[in-house]
């Protein structure tokens, strides 16, 4: 039986290292050719490492949380071998871990699954399991390859019978408890570290300023209510508000090209296309896949692209190339209930649009006070490149298109 080394694959341009996020196969497990055996966390997305041969999983050369470089060996696979009996697997030792008398504050104690499931849990799922006190072995995963997601854990916690206080009374492994107060130390994921670094760099580099406006959503709400059923029947996707905003933004960017530009050294780079980055949630944090050439897409095409991004972000299946580039970003904090915010630009971009929740407010229309569904818009921009007049003009153009969606149809 011949052992084949499993090495870290090429991760993308300029990416030389990653963090081992989880082991998908344990020593002794049978693996098929190209079957994922490990998940790596890079600066942008999670990357699965496939098995180079069919056989049996050998020994792990690195542990969860270790930093690995491209080309480094992380494990071996015994080609053509037979899977070890289940009794030989290390799971029984894991089930005894909570009974150990010596609690450890180190996060290493949380890297093993707590239930009978052989699949390792991602860091965000492990945290959710500890917070909600649910047994992962009783949860049916809806993620890729049947893996448990954070949403699965939260759903299981809501359905857990109220008359089961025993699990809550036991302290979570790896947590320290003093006088009824608990603390848990969890290592930041590589993605979260990168997000923190880039956001701080943006604040340190750009002369960042935010300007606000509000928009009456009446016309868009009425159009959506009138056509949403026909739209979904024809295009196979729901009609949301983001399709309108992305399309309106591409029109405004064409009118105000500096908002779609970037600074490179002493040069200003103007783009005759609009690659719109849309912020979506993933288990590891906020990611910003890019809608390429959004100016050429219909509202339906934009909605389909955003829906696909959101689904694959939750599964950790976004690709590196889908995260690169982008000339302008739209972040919708309204889905979480945000009323107003000052979003941070995503370098080398020079501006980001923040959308917020819709709420009924009294406004004056034709001299009369009426109640309208209003939304605050926030444009954060790099004042080194974009003047206040241009920022305000962009928001006004966007506001006009949303309040009169016919403008989107006739490109006005």
């Amino acid at each position: 039986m011949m052992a084949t080394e499993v090495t870290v694959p090429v991760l993308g341009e300029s990416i030389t290292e990653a963090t081992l996020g989880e082991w998908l196969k344990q020593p002794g497990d049978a693996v098929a050719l190209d079957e994922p055996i490990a998940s790596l966390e890079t600066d942008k997305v999670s990357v699965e490492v496939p098995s180079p041969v069919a056989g049996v999983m050998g020994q792990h050369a690195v542990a969860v949380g270790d930093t690995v470089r491209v080309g480094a060996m992380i494990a071996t696979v015994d080609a053509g071998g037979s899977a070890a009996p289940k009794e030989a697997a290390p799971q029984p030792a894991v089930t005894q871990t909570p009974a150990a008398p010596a609690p450890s504050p180190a996060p290493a104690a949380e890297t093993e699954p707590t239930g009978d499931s052989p699949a390792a849990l991602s860091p965000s799922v492990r945290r959710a399991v500890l917070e909600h006190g649910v047994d992962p072995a009783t949860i049916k995963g809806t993620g890729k390859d049947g893996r448990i997601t954070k949403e699965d854990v939260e759903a299981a916690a809501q359905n857990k019978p109220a008359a089961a206080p025993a699990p809550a009374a036991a302290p979570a492994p790896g947590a320290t408890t003093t006088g009824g107060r608990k603390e848990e130390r969890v290592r930041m994921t590589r993605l979260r570290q990168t997000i923190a670094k880039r956001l701080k760099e943006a604040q340190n580099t750009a002369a960042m300023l935010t300007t606000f406006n509000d928009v009456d959503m009446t016309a868009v709400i009425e159009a959506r209510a009138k056509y949403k059923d026909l739209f979904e029947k024809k295009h196979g996707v729901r009609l949301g508000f983001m399709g309108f905003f992305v399309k309106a933004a591409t029109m405004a960017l064409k009118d105000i090209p500096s908002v779609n530009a970037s600074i490179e050294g002493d040069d200003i780079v103007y783009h005759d296309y609009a690659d719109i980055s849309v912020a979506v949630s993933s288990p590891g944090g906020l990611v910003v896949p890019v809608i390429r050439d959004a100016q050429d897409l219909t509202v339906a095409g934009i909605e389909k692209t955003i829906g696909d991004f959101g689904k694959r972000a939750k599964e950790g299946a976004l690709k590196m190339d889908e995260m690169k580039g982008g000339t302008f970003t739209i972040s919708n904090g309204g889905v979480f209930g945000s009323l107003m915010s000052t979003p941070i630009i995503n370098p080398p971009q020079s501006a980001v649009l923040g959308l917020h929740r819709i709420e009924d407010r009294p406004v004056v229309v034709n001299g009369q006070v009426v109640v309208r569904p209003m939304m605050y818009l926030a444009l954060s921009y790099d004042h080194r490149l974009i003047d206040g007049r241009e920022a305000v003009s962009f928001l006004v153009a966007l506001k006009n298109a949303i309040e009169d969606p016919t403008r989107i149809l006739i490109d006005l």
Side-chain angles (χ1 to χ4, degrees):
M1 192 161 54
M2 179 179 175
T4 301
E5 293 185 352
V6 181
T7 59
V8 177
V10 176
L11 301 172
E13 183 181 355
S14 76
I15 299 179
T16 60
E17 62 181 24
T19 300
L20 185 69
E22 58 179 316
W23 284 108
L24 306 179
K25 291 292 182 178
Q26 301 298 323
D29 289 351
V31 295
L33 176 65
D34 292 330
E35 183 179 6
I37 63 173
S39 176
L40 301 175
E41 294 178 355
T42 70
D43 292 349
K44 297 182 177 180
V45 294
S46 295
V47 178
E48 291 182 337
V49 180
S51 174
V53 295
V56 176
M57 188 70 194
Q59 294 300 312
H60 298 163
V62 295
V64 172
D66 286 355
T67 298
V68 293
R69 298 189 66 82
V70 172
M73 185 192 77
I74 60 173
T76 59
V77 174
D78 296 328
S82 300
K86 286 296 181 181
E87 290 76 13
Q91 280 77 8
V94 176
T95 61
Q96 298 173 5
T97 300
S104 172
E110 299 165 16
T111 60
E112 297 294 337
T114 57
D116 295 330
S117 172
L121 304 177
S122 67
S124 62
V125 174
R126 285 197 296 274
R127 287 196 295 270
V129 167
L130 291 173
E131 290 172 0
H132 295 290
V134 296
D135 183 359
T138 64
I139 303 174
K140 183 178 180 181
T142 61
K144 188 175 182 181
D145 297 329
R147 294 182 210 163
I148 298 174
T149 66
K150 183 179 178 181
E151 290 75 15
D152 295 333
V153 176
E154 292 173 348
Q158 292 178 357
N159 296 329
K160 189 172 65 171
T176 58
T177 304
T178 304
R181 303 188 343 155
K182 183 176 70 174
E183 292 183 354
E184 178 188 358
R185 186 180 297 272
V186 179
R187 183 177 180 180
M188 291 176 67
T189 64
R190 179 173 291 272
L191 175 60
R192 176 54 60 184
Q193 293 178 43
T194 302
I195 292 172
K197 179 180 178 182
R198 286 179 59 82
L199 291 180
K200 190 57 184 173
E201 285 178 351
Q203 288 183 318
N204 293 340
T205 302
M208 197 151 54
L209 184 64
T210 303
T211 188
F212 299 92
N213 210 323
D214 61 1
V215 58
D216 185 343
M217 295 292 291
T218 301
V220 168
I221 291 174
E222 290 177 350
R224 182 172 180 265
K226 184 176 181 179
Y227 296 113
K228 64 179 181 179
D229 293 336
L230 290 174
F231 186 90
E232 185 170 3
K233 182 178 180 180
K234 179 176 180 178
H235 300 291
V237 65
R238 295 179 61 187
L239 177 59
F241 297 124
M242 280 295 286
F244 290 98
F245 275 103
V246 171
K247 195 63 182 177
T250 63
M251 296 169 54
L253 291 173
K254 184 169 62 175
D255 294 339
I256 317 293
S258 62
V259 181
N260 198 40
S262 58
I263 295 177
E264 292 186 7
D266 294 329
D267 299 328
I268 299 175
V269 180
Y270 292 94
H271 310 285
D272 66 351
Y273 54 88
D275 285 352
I276 307 297
S277 303
V278 287
V280 297
S281 296
S282 74
L286 207 64
V287 293
V288 279
V290 180
I291 305 174
R292 309 288 179 188
D293 292 315
Q295 77 282 352
D296 296 332
L297 295 178
T298 63
V299 171
I302 292 170
E303 291 288 0
K304 288 179 181 178
T305 304
I306 294 175
D308 177 61
F309 283 158
K311 178 182 177 182
R312 291 191 291 117
K314 290 181 179 179
E315 298 173 350
L318 288 174
K319 299 177 182 178
M320 290 284 185
D321 291 342
E322 294 173 319
M323 316 284 282
K324 295 179 181 178
T327 60
F328 182 76
T329 294
I330 299 179
S331 177
N332 186 8
V335 296
F336 304 109
S338 172
L339 177 64
M340 188 179 292
S341 68
T342 55
I344 300 177
I345 62 176
N346 181 24
Q349 298 174 24
S350 297
V352 54
L353 175 68
L355 308 182
H356 303 91
R357 78 169 186 253
I358 303 169
E359 67 174 10
D360 290 339
R361 291 201 298 272
V363 295
V364 178
V365 178
N366 297 325
Q368 299 293 321
V369 176
V370 296
V371 176
R372 291 292 177 87
M374 304 297 293
M375 175 195 288
Y376 286 116
L377 305 176
L379 182 74
S380 291
Y381 57 97
D382 190 344
H383 212 345
R384 297 177 302 168
L385 171 60
I386 303 169
D387 294 331
R389 175 183 61 84
E390 295 168 314
V392 172
S393 297
F394 173 87
L395 283 180
V396 169
L398 186 72
K399 173 185 173 73
N400 290 338
I402 294 299
E403 292 186 342
D404 183 7
T406 305
R407 290 172 173 264
I408 297 176
L409 295 178
I410 62 177
D411 193 14
L412 183 61

